[in-house]
Amino acid sequence: MTISILILTINFMFGCKSSSLINKRILVTTDCEVELDPHQNKIQLLSHKEYQNTIEDGLGLSISSVTKDFSPIDRSRGFSNSYYDVHISKIRAKNYIDAAFKISQIALADNEFRKKYISQCTLAETECLSTLISEIGLRLFRRPVEDIEIASFKSIFEEIKKYSGNLETALNGMLAAMLMDHRFLYHNRMIQKESSPRELDNYELAERISYYLWNSSPDEELYSIAKTGTLREKKILEKQVNRMIHDQKAKRTFRHYLTEWLELDNLDSVQRSNKKFPEFNGQLLSEMKEEIYHFFEMHFLENNAPMEAIFDSETSMVGPNLARVYGVQHNGNDRISFDIKESPQRSGVLTLAGILTNLSSGDTTSPVRRGLFINNKFLCEEVPPPPADAGAFKIEVDQREDITPRERLGVHRDSAQCYDCHKVIDPVGLAFENFDAIGKFRTQYENGRDIDPAGFIMFPNDATVKRSFDNFKTLSEILKSSKQTKRCFVQKSMQYATKYRPEFKHLCEVDKIRHVFEKNGGTYMSLISSIIHSLSFNSVVDGGIGSVSAPNLPHVPLPSLDKKSIN
């Protein structure tokens, strides 16, 4: 029988348990009831990006070579940071175990890490080891390490040292144990109490703000303020948020938010026929993605423009390959400013070539994908998946060379089981048929048929109202002026900030945030402030589903220190 440090730490890593369903609690505000329920406080694994940033920013290590092989995290809820599950699959557990040992070895081989945490004292000294655990633990667990936890990790160190006779081996095993600890792998410090809403404490608030704005753990300044218990003071909080927004880590996080919200990582795998699209190449895809990032950064971060400006913006930046798609004169290799007014075929974010390319299928456009995208990403309309036998078009229609996408989808909509969804999806997607599979403008299909982009849009929760439009420009104007568009923008941002997807019962608070956000100019910066001051952002419900207990590490003899011994 062999027992290793892994057995002990795996036990600890999975020291989570689910409590039974509890009654919901209602917190009443001055103008409506904002409901908090245990689902808002389910335990959540760090996303891969959060895992990497926490270690790289907190400990100063480079670990991208380790995390690149992590198994994907489910993004069905919209964002990878909204994934939560008490249970860890065997594959993900192996990812974490392997990564813990690799990162521990990287740390011990890093001179700066050793200088900061190890070289200042002798590991054989009890006080030195306690300090090391406290300092590293603060950065990994995002809160001060308690005495009982320090004692547990010291116990691991001592057991390994006893059987190996080597301080470095003991330190390596202890660091790996900290990296497999549920206090590192999961968000939120859950408390097993009778269920009741409460304010986040200062360390919990610091963590929530930091992962919202930086996708990473708090820095030294934020930790020091949390320690004083003054983070909630209005001037201090506003100063910290302003400081963090202007840090480069905020721009990094904003790009990550855009990537997942708009599914821009799918652009990396787009393929097109060079015969049909001679302009297409890898550099074009890179320029498309960069244009989208710059478009939002320019409007939201640099110009602090109101949200609706993205629907009729007149300015963008294009590289030489993208300029050819847009029909813009470009003689150099650098990006140039592009005045969209000079191209009457363009109007705002929905006509950016990267968005349109990403929502095509192979060498053809996809009105269904485009319509779904706009309904989901900009209206928060959750369209259910199609029935199992959907998609079977009539053979005689498919074989006709002169068929148009509108006619083909019209046949599909004739199906009673498909109509309810396609009446919402198709008209919106068909509005962008003037743009081919790489976002290039056209007025006719290859078969010579004219493109008809006119249609109507139906808004969620109000299926009786149809707003007609002539083309993508008038559709963009409708979206720009719609309260549902602003509400959806709040919902997406709120989900990214709080890590749970707002549902119908949460629309009261969503509308409260939208009202404050609009009152303060409707800018991205005002939205951040509105969310950070909201009830859901500042509260948790203890004792909820998936609460985490904090068991002590069992004191088990470790006769084998060979990592392979448990395989």
Side-chain angles (χ1 to χ4, degrees):
M1 173 182 177
T2 58
I3 304 174
S4 77
I5 183 68
L6 283 178
I7 295 292
L8 186 149
T9 50
I10 290 171
N11 240 358
F12 195 40
M13 182 169 71
F14 298 107
C16 310
K17 59 184 179 180
S18 297
S19 62
S20 60
L21 290 171
I22 60 172
N23 293 329
K24 299 170 183 175
R25 294 292 189 266
I26 303 292
L27 295 186
V28 182
T29 62
T30 55
D31 54 353
C32 70
E33 290 186 342
V34 175
E35 183 176 7
L36 294 177
D37 66 70
H39 290 276
Q40 295 176 217
N41 206 31
K42 275 188 173 181
I43 61 172
Q44 294 163 309
L45 281 168
L46 295 179
S47 71
H48 295 342
K49 186 61 67 175
E50 291 172 335
Y51 181 107
Q52 180 177 330
N53 290 345
T54 298
I55 293 172
E56 292 191 339
D57 297 339
L59 300 182
L61 304 172
S62 178
I63 64 162
S64 57
S65 62
V66 177
T67 57
K68 67 180 177 63
D69 295 324
F70 277 10
S71 59
I73 282 184
D74 178 25
R75 267 167 54 180
S76 62
R77 295 181 64 85
F79 298 101
S80 59
N81 72 353
S82 299
Y83 174 82
Y84 45 72
D85 195 343
V86 174
H87 307 290
I88 298 179
S89 68
K90 291 181 179 179
I91 294 175
R92 183 156 292 126
K94 187 177 186 304
N95 288 157
Y96 291 146
I97 292 167
D98 291 344
F101 279 94
K102 290 177 182 178
I103 294 168
S104 178
Q105 291 164 0
I106 290 172
L108 295 180
D110 187 272
N111 290 332
E112 290 301 315
F113 179 88
R114 296 191 71 93
K115 181 179 179 181
K116 182 174 182 178
Y117 296 108
I118 302 172
S119 301
Q120 302 302 315
C121 64
T122 304
L123 289 176
E125 298 175 0
T126 300
E127 189 60 35
C128 167
L129 187 58
S130 296
T131 301
L132 184 149
I133 294 170
S134 295
E135 292 184 354
I136 294 177
L138 173 65
R139 289 154 184 80
L140 292 181
F141 304 159
R142 287 87 71 185
R143 60 170 178 80
V145 186
E146 298 176 3
D147 290 342
I148 192 171
E149 296 166 334
I150 292 174
S152 295
F153 289 113
K154 286 172 70 175
S155 175
I156 293 175
F157 179 89
E158 294 298 334
E159 291 290 344
I160 300 174
K161 185 179 72 170
K162 175 181 176 181
Y163 285 98
S164 70
N166 187 293
L167 291 176
E168 287 290 308
T169 302
L171 184 57
N172 183 37
M174 187 191 75
L175 289 176
M178 297 179 77
L179 289 164
M180 285 185 277
D181 191 283
H182 67 73
R183 284 161 286 212
F184 165 61
L185 294 174
Y186 289 93
H187 281 294
N188 292 334
R189 182 189 177 194
M190 299 298 189
I191 301 173
Q192 295 251 325
K193 287 181 178 178
E194 181 183 349
S195 172
S196 60
R198 66 168 176 85
E199 277 191 341
L200 298 173
D201 67 29
N202 271 252
Y203 284 103
E204 291 169 327
L205 180 59
E207 175 179 346
R208 184 163 283 187
I209 293 172
S210 187
Y211 280 96
Y212 174 30
L213 300 181
W214 285 351
N215 225 358
S216 185
S217 56
D219 63 0
E220 301 298 332
E221 183 171 338
L222 198 56
Y223 276 133
S224 65
I225 293 173
K227 184 178 180 179
T228 66
T230 59
L231 184 56
R232 287 193 178 280
E233 294 182 14
K234 185 177 179 181
K235 289 185 178 180
I236 293 176
L237 179 59
E238 289 178 353
K239 181 179 179 181
Q240 286 303 305
V241 170
N242 186 64
R243 174 183 72 87
M244 295 171 72
I245 286 173
H246 291 90
D247 189 285
Q248 279 300 307
K249 286 183 284 189
K251 181 177 179 180
R252 173 189 71 187
T253 300
F254 185 64
R255 287 198 168 203
H256 181 261
Y257 169 75
L258 292 175
T259 297
E260 295 202 340
W261 172 36
L262 302 176
E263 301 177 16
L264 301 182
D265 45 351
N266 291 340
L267 268 174
D268 298 334
S269 58
V270 166
Q271 298 289 332
R272 296 287 184 269
S273 165
N274 288 120
K275 182 177 180 180
K276 187 171 183 178
F277 300 105
E279 311 96 325
F280 183 83
N281 55 47
Q283 186 57 39
L284 173 62
L285 289 177
S286 178
E287 290 179 17
M288 285 177 172
K289 186 184 286 189
E290 190 59 34
E291 181 196 23
I292 297 170
Y293 287 140
H294 183 269
F295 181 88
F296 280 93
E297 289 166 355
M298 176 182 64
H299 286 86
F300 288 172
L301 304 185
E302 297 169 16
N303 298 340
N304 202 26
M307 181 277 294
E308 58 264 28
I310 65 173
F311 289 106
D312 61 358
S313 170
E314 298 178 346
T315 306
S316 186
M317 295 285 289
V318 296
N321 293 276
L322 188 54
R324 285 192 285 274
V325 172
Y326 286 159
V328 175
Q329 186 68 31
H330 190 302
N331 297 319
N333 294 316
D334 297 329
R335 287 188 303 158
I336 61 170
S337 180
F338 167 41
D339 189 343
I340 298 178
K341 286 186 297 184
E342 297 177 6
S343 178
Q345 299 90 3
R346 306 281 161 179
S347 179
V349 63
L350 297 179
T351 59
L352 296 182
I355 297 290
L356 296 160
T357 299
N358 206 24
L359 300 173
S360 297
S361 298
D363 291 344
T364 61
T365 61
S366 176
V368 172
R369 289 186 64 190
R370 290 174 176 181
L372 275 170
F373 180 85
I374 292 171
N375 274 280
N376 178 262
K377 305 299 182 180
F378 293 95
L379 296 176
C380 291
E381 172 77 358
E382 297 294 332
V383 180
D389 59 346
F393 293 100
K394 294 180 180 179
I395 294 176
E396 62 270 21
V397 174
D398 275 347
Q399 292 177 341
R400 288 171 52 192
E401 293 183 358
D402 63 344
I403 195 73
T404 67
R406 181 180 291 276
E407 291 166 338
R408 181 175 293 112
L409 291 173
V411 171
H412 203 188
R413 289 196 307 275
D414 287 342
S415 167
Q417 66 187 106
C418 299
Y419 178 69
D420 282 345
C421 291
H422 280 271
K423 71 180 180 182
V424 174
I425 300 168
D426 298 351
V428 175
L430 288 166
F432 296 90
E433 277 295 278
N434 284 118
F435 302 95
D436 67 15
I438 62 169
K440 197 171 184 177
F441 189 78
R442 62 187 181 176
T443 58
Q444 292 183 329
Y445 293 109
E446 292 179 35
N447 60 15
R449 298 282 299 276
D450 290 337
I451 293 171
D452 176 15
F456 60 85
I457 183 171
M458 302 170 70
F459 287 95
N461 306 320
D462 196 0
T464 61
V465 177
K466 294 182 180 181
R467 296 285 303 278
S468 298
F469 53 80
D470 297 325
N471 51 39
F472 62 88
K473 282 195 172 183
T474 48
L475 173 57
S476 292
E477 290 171 2
I478 292 171
L479 292 171
K480 175 183 176 179
S481 61
S482 168
K483 285 188 176 181
Q484 179 59 28
T485 307
K486 296 181 180 68
R487 179 185 289 118
C488 183
F489 192 57
V490 171
Q491 283 181 245
K492 297 293 185 184
S493 299
M494 188 175 173
Q495 178 182 346
Y496 194 80
T498 62
K499 306 184 188 304
Y500 76 92
R501 182 168 58 186
E503 299 174 0
F504 183 79
K505 60 189 174 184
H506 303 123
L507 290 186
C508 168
E509 184 170 29
V510 168
D511 274 335
K512 282 170 61 68
I513 294 172
R514 179 182 62 82
H515 176 74
V516 175
F517 152 66
E518 289 184 292
K519 185 178 179 181
N520 292 325
T523 66
Y524 185 67
M525 298 303 180
S526 66
L527 177 58
I528 289 175
S529 177
S530 300
I531 289 175
I532 288 177
H533 286 89
S534 70
L535 182 63
S536 289
F537 191 87
N538 284 270
S539 305
V540 292
V541 182
D542 281 331
I545 299 171
S547 293
V548 177
S549 60
N552 297 328
L553 281 168
H555 188 79
V556 180
L558 304 172
S560 172
L561 300 172
D562 183 3
K563 180 183 172 185
K564 297 179 181 178
S565 64
I566 68 162
N567 293 339

